Amino acid sequence: MSYKAIMNKKNKMNGLKLLKLIDKESIKVVFFDPQYRGVLDKLSYGNEGKSRGRERSELPQMTKEIILTFINQIEKILKPNGYLFLWVDKFHLFECKDWIGNFKSIEIVDMITWDKQKIGMGYRSRRRCEYLIIIQKSPRKAKTTWNIHNIPDVWGEKINNKIHTHSKPVELQKQLILATTQEEDIVVDPASGGYSVLRACEETNRKFLGCDLKFGDLYE
């Protein structure tokens, strides 16, 4: 099966199956937003899925082993110098260093804090940010792989009309796509959720290749 038939579409399918369709070292940029329930587990309110976090709790959840399997496949399809943009919450911010340490050809090179401009849950400090870990495949290069130099490492963007519990900032993702790819390049997102990366690709004339286990048009 060729992935060209599912290009620029909302595909309801397993992200690992999608990644295995893609040729090795053929992709410049991958976005990955693992669907883990780390925040709810760490806070342990006791009413998760009932009166709190019902929408988040109902989503398919990824274990650490599944997340590492995804990253392993992503490492294979990335071109040399290609980028993985990995979304994590504050509870996984330190764990992700160990995740990436399992792989020989990728390393963490930067990070952007996304200020959601909306306060969330928390016993002590209340959550307002998420983190985008910038990971590059070797050989590590910056000047020849990053075309925009005014992206701040703290990015404020409020999401209005949220369509998914894990919605991500379209404008930030657009800037990252513009910084690291050219028109007609393929951008991959194997856990698309609300398909914000698809929208970012449409607005930047890039090709989108993505899917979600729960959301999208039936393909499999």
Side-chain angles (χ1 to χ4, degrees), residues 16-44:
L16 286 173
K17 182 175 181 179
L18 172 70
L19 292 172
K20 291 177 181 177
L21 294 175
I22 302 172
D23 295 336
K24 292 182 179 178
E25 299 196 337
S26 64
I27 300 296
K28 283 184 179 177
V29 166
V30 178
F31 286 84
F32 183 36
D33 182 16
Q35 295 178 8
Y36 43 62
R37 51 172 293 134
V39 174
L40 294 176
D41 286 341
K42 297 291 184 181
L43 292 175
S44 298

Side-chain angles (χ1 to χ4, degrees), residues 42-58:
K42 297 291 184 181
L43 292 175
S44 298
Y45 285 107
N47 56 353
E48 298 82 6
K50 299 175 183 177
S51 58
R52 186 188 301 275
R54 179 177 299 174
E55 187 178 1
R56 180 189 293 266
S57 295
E58 290 177 349

Side-chain angles (χ1 to χ4, degrees), residues 101-115:
N102 287 287
F103 304 96
K104 293 181 178 178
S105 70
I106 56 175
E107 65 175 313
I108 297 172
V109 295
D110 210 332
M111 184 185 82
I112 295 175
T113 300
W114 170 35
D115 177 0

Side-chain angles (χ1 to χ4, degrees), residues 8 157 169-175 177-178 183 195-208:
N8 299 322
E157 183 176 340
V170 173
E171 290 302 320
L172 171 57
Q173 291 175 128
K174 281 172 57 179
Q175 291 303 307
I177 289 170
L178 289 169
E183 287 195 14
Y195 288 92
S196 58
V197 174
L198 169 59
R199 181 178 163 191
C201 287
E202 290 173 339
E203 295 181 9
T204 55
N205 294 321
R206 268 63 170 177
K207 294 178 180 176
F208 170 81

